[in-house]
C-alpha cells in the first residue's frame, strides 16, 4: 500500500511530473530495477556525467549517489539537480575528507593528482584530473612518462591501474564496502559448481578477485562484455543491480552474483539502495532534496572534470 501523500500509480505520476518539470531521470546501474526501468537513461559514472552535461532538460533527477548528483550540478550549474535521498553517499567518498586529501597532496609535491570520480566536490576541486573506471587507463596513458602521480581514493582500482599501465602511482588507502566484500574462498566453490561460467569483475574488487577474473571493467564494460561474449553463464563480481540490465538484454544467459564473505546482501550497495521509487516521486513533487554548490566550488571542481571529459 502506498504511503500517505503518495499516489497508487507512481509510474504514471512520475511521468506526469517529468513533463511538468521538463525533467530528465538519470539512473546508475546499481539502482533498484524499478528505478532503472523508469529512467530516461541508465549508465555508468562516465556516461551519466556526459548526459548531465548535455541535457536540454531544466531539472536533472539523479537516481544514484551524492557524488554523481554533485558532478551533474558542476557540469550543468544552471539546472536544478534533485537526489531522491541526500544520505545516498559512498564509502570511497566518505573515506577521503578534503582536509586529509589536501595533506596527502602536500606530502607529495610535484605529483599530479588523478582522482576517481567517487569523491566529494571539495576533493575534486583539489585534484588535477578526474577519472572513472571506464576512462582511467586512457587518461593515465596520456600523462608524460616521468610525471609522478598520486591516485585517490580507491586503492583497489589504483592497484589495478598500476598493474595494467605499468605506471607507479602513490595510492590513497580507500575501498568500496561493496567490492571488498567478495569472498575468494566462496568464489572458488561457485567456480567449481559452474566451471563453464566466466568470472567478470569491477576493478574496485580486491586483487585476489581481479587476478582470477576472465574480464575486468566498469559497469558498462561488463554489460557490453556479457552481451558480446560467447559464454552463456557469468559470475558477476560487482554490485548486484547491474544484473537487471544483463538479464534484460541477454535472454538465455545466466548471471550468478559473486558471493560475499558473510551470509548477507553485502553485494547490494546500502547507499545506492536508499533511493526508492517513492522517494523519486517525492523529490520531483517537492523539488527537494536539491544539490546546491557555491559558484567557486563549481568552478574549481569543474576544471578537473572537464579535463577528464576532454581526455576520454
Ligand atoms: P562505474 O559505473 O563507473 O563502473 O562505477 C561503479 C561504482 O561503484 C559507482 O559507484
Ligand atoms: Fe560507493 Fe561502492 Fe556504493 Fe559505488 S558501490 S556508490 S563505490 S559504496
Amino acid at each position: 500500500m502506498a504511503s500517505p501523500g503518495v499516489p497508487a500509480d507512481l509510474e504514471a505520476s512520475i511521468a506526469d511530473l517529468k513533463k511538468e518539470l521538463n525533467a530528465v531521470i538519470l539512473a546508475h546501474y546499481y539502482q533498484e530495477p524499478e528505478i532503472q526501468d523508469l529512467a530516461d537513461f541508465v549508465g555508468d559514472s562516465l556516461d551519466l556525467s556526459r548526459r548531465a552535461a548535455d541535457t536540454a532538460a531544466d531539472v536533472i533527477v539523479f537516481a544514484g549517489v551524492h557524488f554523481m548528483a554533485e558532478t551533474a550540478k558542476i557540469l550543468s550549474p544552471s539546472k536544478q539537480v534533485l537526489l531522491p535521498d541526500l544520505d545516498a553517499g559512498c564509502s570511497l567518498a566518505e573515506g577521503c575528507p578534503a582536509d586529509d586529501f589536501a595533506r596527502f597532496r602536500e606530502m607529495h609535491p610535484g605529483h599530479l593528482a588523478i582522482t576517481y570520480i567517487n569523491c566529494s566536490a571539495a576533493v575534486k576541486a583539489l585534484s588535477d584530473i578526474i577519472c572513472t573506471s571506464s576512462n582511467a587507463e586512457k587518461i593515465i596513458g596520456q600523462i608524460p612518462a616521468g610525471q609522478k602521480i598520486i591516485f585517490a581514493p580507491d586503492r583497489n582500482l589504483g592497484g589495478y591501474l598500476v598493474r595494467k599501465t605499468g605506471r607507479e602511482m602513490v595510492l590513497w588507502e580507500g575501498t568500496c564496502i561493496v567490492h571488498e566484500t567478495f569472498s575468494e574462498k566462496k568464489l572458488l566453490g561457485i567456480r567449481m559448481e559452474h566451471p563453464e561460467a566466466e568470472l567478470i569483475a569491477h576493478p574496485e574488487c580486491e586483487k585476489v578477485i581481479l587476478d582470477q577474473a576472465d574480464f575486468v571493467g566498469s559497469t558498462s564494460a561488463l554489460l557490453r562484455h556479457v552481451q558480446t561474449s560467447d559464454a552463456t553463464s557469468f559470475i558477476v563480481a560487482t554490485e548486484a543491480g547491474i544484473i537487471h540490465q544483463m538479464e534484460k538484454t541477454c535472454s538465455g544467459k545466466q548471471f550468478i552474483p559473486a558471493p560475499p564473505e558473510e551470509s548477507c546482501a553485502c553485494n547490494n550497495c546500502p547507499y545506492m539502495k536508499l533511493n526508492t521509487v517513492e522517494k523519486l516521486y517525492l523529490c520531483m513533487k517537492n523539488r527537494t532534496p536539491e544539490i546546491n554548490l557555491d559558484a567557486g566550488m563549481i568552478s574549481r571542481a569543474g576544471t578537473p572534470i572537464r579535463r577528464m571529459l576532454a581526455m576520454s
Side-chain angles (χ1 to χ4, degrees), residues 28-30 43-48 65 67-68 89-90 92 116-118 131-135 154 176 178-179 202-204 217-222 238-239 242 269 272:
H28 188 266
Y29 291 122
Y30 296 164
D44 71 2
S45 310
L46 179 63
D47 296 333
L48 289 166
V65 290
F67 75 82
M68 295 178 173
C90 168
L92 282 167
Y116 192 30
I117 197 162
N118 296 38
C131 70
T132 76
S133 50
S134 53
N135 59 18
D154 187 9
C176 158
V178 177
H179 289 89
H202 194 279
E204 287 176 17
S218 69
T219 49
S220 53
L222 295 178
T238 191
E239 213 271 1
I242 183 82
C269 174
M272 287 276 182

Side-chain angles (χ1 to χ4, degrees), residues 23-262:
V24 65
I25 302 176
L26 304 180
H28 188 266
Y29 291 122
Y30 296 164
Q31 291 293 284
E32 58 179 57
E34 294 75 14
I35 295 184
Q36 293 189 36
D37 290 346
L38 274 170
D40 296 296
F41 179 75
V42 188
D44 71 2
S45 310
L46 179 63
D47 296 333
L48 289 166
S49 308
R50 287 184 172 136
R51 286 287 169 141
D54 294 344
T55 185
D58 295 319
V59 177
I60 300 172
V61 185
F62 214 114
V65 290
H66 194 269
F67 75 82
M68 295 178 173
E70 254 186 1
T71 304
K73 183 69 185 176
I74 293 162
L75 289 169
S76 276
S78 63
K79 319 268 163 167
Q80 183 177 41
V81 178
L82 303 171
L83 178 65
D85 191 319
L86 220 44
D87 289 331
C90 168
S91 65
L92 282 167
E94 283 166 19
C96 188
D99 289 353
D100 293 349
F101 182 71
R103 270 190 292 280
F104 181 60
R105 283 220 72 168
E106 277 162 25
M107 279 163 57
H108 299 94
H111 286 61
L112 189 82
I114 302 184
T115 308
Y116 192 30
I117 197 162
N118 296 38
C119 64
S120 65
V123 168
K124 288 183 175 78
L126 294 167
S127 303
D128 295 307
I129 310 171
I130 300 304
C131 70
T132 76
S133 50
S134 53
N135 59 18
E137 257 183 84
K138 190 170 178 189
I139 287 174
I140 292 169
Q142 293 169 64
I143 308 303
Q147 169 62 60
K148 293 181 185 154
I149 302 171
I150 55 174
F151 185 87
D154 187 9
R155 65 151 192 240
N156 289 329
L157 172 63
Y160 172 75
L161 292 167
V162 168
R163 295 191 295 280
K164 273 292 279 216
T165 64
R167 286 295 289 264
E168 274 309 314
M169 299 197 292
V170 182
L171 306 182
W172 178 279
E173 281 294 316
T175 55
C176 158
I177 50 165
V178 177
H179 289 89
E180 69 176 356
T181 198
F182 300 117
S183 155
E184 187 191 4
K185 201 164 129 226
K186 287 192 183 171
L187 193 56
L188 282 174
I190 293 246
R191 292 204 90 178
M192 272 158 71
E193 273 172 48
H194 301 274
E196 73 300 342
E198 279 191 355
L199 171 64
I200 60 168
H202 194 279
E204 287 176 17
C205 292
E206 303 266 335
K207 181 173 183 294
V208 284
I209 306 294
L210 297 178
D211 283 350
Q212 304 177 41
D214 299 297
F215 181 81
V216 176
S218 69
T219 49
S220 53
L222 295 178
L223 182 58
R224 274 194 305 275
H225 178 76
V226 300
Q227 289 164 346
T228 51
S229 168
D230 290 335
T232 53
S233 56
F234 303 86
I235 301 166
V236 182
T238 191
E239 213 271 1
I242 183 82
I243 292 178
H244 179 58
Q245 294 297 328
M246 292 178 170
E247 286 176 338
K248 245 177 118 168
T249 56
C250 304
S251 64
K253 294 193 178 182
Q254 184 192 19
F255 302 99
I256 306 150
E261 194 73 62
E262 310 291 335

